[in-house]
Amino acid sequence: MELDRLDRDIIGALIEDARATYAEIGQRVGLSASAVKRRVDRLRETGAITGFTARVQPAALGWTTEAYVELFCAGKTSPAEIGVAIARHPEVVSACTITGEADALLHIRATDVRHVERVIERLAAEPFVVRTKSSVVLSRLIDAPPALARNESASSA
Amino acid sequence: MELDRLDRDIIGALIEDARATYAEIGQRVGLSASAVKRRVDRLRETGAITGFTARVQPAALGWTTEAYVELFCAGKTSPAEIGVAIARHPEVVSACTITGEADALLHIRATDVRHVERVIERLAAEPFVVRTKSSVVLSRLIDAPPALARNESASSA
DNA sequence: TATGAAAGAACCTGGCC
DNA sequence: GGCCAGGTTCTTTCATA
């Protein structure tokens, strides 16, 4: 589906503040409130916008430690198999298969370093996992609210 | 600051749907709409909730490729220095310093593999960057809306 | 200190042009 | 896409425990 300038601007506004009123968004992009609502409804129907979520300071909820874990898997392990298995570990907040030596890269959040250790042990115990290699996060530099609205500036750079 | 059961439930509801009405949230957590609003206001003031954002399908906006880039930096490069420098690259959606061989791990989103290549070149051109090592994402397995509401289940595992 | 109820203002939503 | 009207939600105030 095709997104025009207005759609991108509306998405940008909603990424910045998902609870902004249609009138506020409309003022910003140059549209009436009802026109904005119609577009937002359409963007949700087509799947461009998948939902709205609160941005939370993980530390405030007790998740003070994060780590990245590389998974080295047995010969013919499928991505689907990995996905199903790691979905059972609630500490895994993000995961993907990647090119390079490792097969998958996992991002985990835990309450402390000991907790990280337990999670890695649990992951390593998965039958298809041959080896893991992990890095604990020292300090977070960037955690962007997906700034996907600056498509032009990015591709013209 | 201290968060009780109700605060966690409210945050959980807002993570699932940031545009839920206070009445809806109240029904779910067992509180009146006005009580929910007061708590949400307080959670925002104290910084537990940092904002509300739209969840977007990056591909719908043209960001079809993502990669992770490890940065190996010159002797005494400070995290702050790295942070300032990479913030100038809009394709970097997340970044942190880490333990292990590399100094920093960056998550980047781009329009295609060629774009990834250009971003890596630009990053490698930063004066403090000695070497980079990158992995292109093959398939995303998990991209959790920070499921930070299941604190108990996680720490009791 | 925190809650529920209530009222006016603001906002959403759908129909119509 | 804009305008409008009826219904809903927000926000503040007040009384209460």
Side-chain angles (χ1 to χ4, degrees):
Chain A
M1 104 157 254
E2 204 57 23
L3 298 186
D4 65 12
R5 194 58 165 47
L6 255 15
D7 289 321
R8 286 172 200 279
D9 288 348
I10 289 171
I11 289 173
L14 284 171
I15 284 175
E16 276 184 32
D17 180 11
R19 284 184 81 94
T21 66
Y22 293 127
E24 283 166 353
I25 300 169
Q27 196 156 12
R28 173 164 159 176
V29 307
L31 232 46
S32 71
S34 49
V36 172
K37 181 190 186 300
R38 275 192 290 263
R39 280 178 178 257
V40 172
D41 287 345
R42 187 165 52 83
L43 289 167
R44 300 195 61 172
E45 275 168 20
T46 60
I49 294 176
T50 59
F52 302 99
T53 186
R55 290 181 58 76
V56 165
Q57 203 164 9
L61 290 175
W63 301 85
T64 60
T65 313
E66 50 183 326
Y68 286 87
V69 181
E70 289 175 275
L71 253 41
F72 300 78
C73 300
K76 302 201 300 187
T77 312
S78 72
E81 192 178 341
I82 300 175
V84 169
I86 62 178
R88 287 194 295 262
H89 302 257
E91 294 89 349
V92 178
V93 294
S94 151
C96 54
T97 55
I98 55 173
T99 63
E101 301 162 45
D103 296 296
L105 178 62
L106 278 51
H107 179 197
I108 70 176
R109 283 197 190 278
T111 54
D112 53 41
V113 179
R114 290 220 36 205
H115 187 186
V116 168
E117 187 176 26
R118 289 202 305 275
V119 175
I120 294 171
E121 278 173 14
R122 262 191 277 135
L123 288 167
E126 293 285 351
F128 58 82
V129 173
V130 174
R131 183 164 74 85
T132 66
K133 180 183 171 189
S134 39
S135 303
V136 174
V137 171
L138 296 174
S139 69
R140 183 143 289 281
L141 305 173
I142 294 182
D143 189 10
L148 300 165
R150 29 181 184 171
N151 221 341
E152 286 73 27
S153 68
S155 50
S156 71
Chain B
M1 104 157 254
E2 204 57 23
L3 298 186
D4 65 12
R5 194 63 167 45
L6 254 17
D7 289 322
R8 287 173 199 279
D9 288 348
I10 290 171
I11 290 173
L14 284 171
I15 285 176
E16 276 184 31
D17 179 10
R19 283 183 82 94
T21 66
Y22 293 127
E24 284 166 353
I25 300 170
Q27 196 156 13
R28 173 164 160 177
V29 307
L31 231 46
S32 70
S34 51
V36 171
K37 180 190 186 301
R38 271 191 295 266
R39 281 177 178 258
V40 172
D41 287 344
R42 187 164 52 83
L43 289 167
R44 301 195 61 173
E45 275 169 21
T46 59
I49 294 175
T50 59
F52 303 100
T53 186
R55 291 181 58 76
V56 166
Q57 204 163 9
L61 290 176
W63 302 84
T64 60
T65 313
E66 50 183 326
Y68 287 87
V69 181
E70 290 176 275
L71 253 42
F72 299 78
C73 301
K76 301 202 299 187
T77 312
S78 72
E81 193 178 341
I82 300 175
V84 170
I86 62 178
R88 288 194 294 263
H89 302 257
E91 295 89 349
V92 178
V93 294
S94 151
C96 54
T97 55
I98 55 173
T99 64
E101 300 162 44
D103 296 297
L105 178 62
L106 279 50
H107 180 198
I108 70 176
R109 284 198 189 276
T111 53
D112 53 41
V113 179
R114 291 220 37 207
H115 187 185
V116 169
E117 188 176 27
R118 289 203 306 276
V119 175
I120 294 171
E121 277 173 15
R122 263 191 278 134
L123 289 166
E126 293 286 351
F128 58 82
V129 173
V130 175
R131 182 165 75 86
T132 67
K133 180 183 172 190
S134 39
S135 303
V136 174
V137 170
L138 296 175
S139 69
R140 183 143 290 279
L141 305 173
I142 293 182
D143 190 10
L148 300 165
R150 29 181 184 169
N151 219 342
E152 287 72 29
S153 67
S155 51
S156 69

